[in-house]
């Protein structure tokens, strides 16, 4: 099964089945990390955000999927968000001023796309 079909299946599963959401989120996170090339932004001075890594995964028919994997300092757990195509550039231009504010403005609004991260 090619990457696009795997990703489509995972997104369908996550969108329709909520009973085992944490397991599906972990599987999706592992797949995105293994299949995609990530660009990481580290926030050493932030109280909340340790690292954000953006992934772009290309599928069939010129479809692309964009993900942000966020690691918070209080848990050092990775959470995955499916984000828009401009999220990476918007975050990159603003995270040095405040990684937390950049997160809340550009990444957190996508929280409900996958329901794989805390509110």
């Amino acid at each position: 099964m090619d990457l696009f079909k795997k990703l489509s299946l995972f997104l369908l599963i996550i969108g329709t089945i909520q009973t085992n959401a944490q397991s599906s989120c972990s599987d999706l996170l592992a797949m995105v990390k293994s299949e995609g090339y990530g660009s990481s932004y580290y926030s050493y001075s932030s109280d909340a955000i340790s690292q954000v890594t953006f992934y772009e995964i290309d599928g069939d028919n010129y479809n692309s999927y964009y993900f942000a994997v966020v690691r918070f300092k209080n848990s050092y757990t990775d959470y995955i968000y499916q984000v828009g195509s401009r999220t990476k550039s918007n975050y990159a231009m603003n995270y040095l001023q405040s990684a937390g504010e950049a997160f809340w403005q550009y990444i957190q609004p996508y929280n409900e796309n996958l329901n794989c991260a805390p509110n």
Side-chain angles (χ1 to χ4, degrees), residues 8-27:
S8 296
L9 179 63
F10 265 54
L11 293 175
L12 177 65
I13 289 169
I14 287 174
T16 58
I17 300 174
Q18 295 299 320
T19 57
N20 206 1
Q22 190 57 43
S23 174
S24 297
C25 292
S26 297
D27 292 342

Side-chain angles (χ1 to χ4, degrees), residues 2 13 23-24 26 33-34 36 39-40 43 45 53 56-57 67 77-78 86 92-93 104 110 112 116 119:
D2 69 359
I13 289 169
S23 174
S24 297
S26 297
K33 284 182 170 182
S34 71
S39 299
S40 295
S43 306
S45 62
T53 303
E56 178 180 350
I57 298 180
F67 298 93
T77 300
D78 290 341
R86 297 202 30 86
M93 289 189 311
W104 281 103
Y110 292 99
E112 293 183 7
C116 288
N119 292 331

Side-chain angles (χ1 to χ4, degrees), residues 25-107:
C25 292
S26 297
D27 292 342
L28 178 61
L29 177 63
M31 187 186 74
V32 167
K33 284 182 170 182
S34 71
E35 298 287 342
Y37 171 77
S39 299
S40 295
Y41 297 86
Y42 298 91
S43 306
Y44 301 109
S45 62
S46 173
D47 292 334
I49 307 292
S50 175
Q51 174 183 346
V52 176
T53 303
F54 292 95
Y55 294 89
E56 178 180 350
I57 298 180
D58 295 323
D60 293 341
N61 300 323
Y62 304 102
N63 291 321
S64 293
Y65 297 92
Y66 303 91
F67 298 93
V69 176
V70 179
R71 181 173 294 165
F72 296 98
K73 284 191 174 178
N74 63 350
S75 68
Y76 288 97
T77 300
D78 290 341
Y79 295 98
I80 189 166
Y81 299 79
Q82 185 179 3
V83 298
S85 61
R86 297 202 30 86
T87 305
K88 176 182 172 182
S89 60
N90 288 334
Y91 183 84
M93 289 189 311
N94 294 283
Y95 85 102
L96 289 175
Q97 293 173 352
S98 174
E101 287 179 21
F103 165 78
W104 281 103
Q105 186 169 2
Y106 301 111
I107 298 171

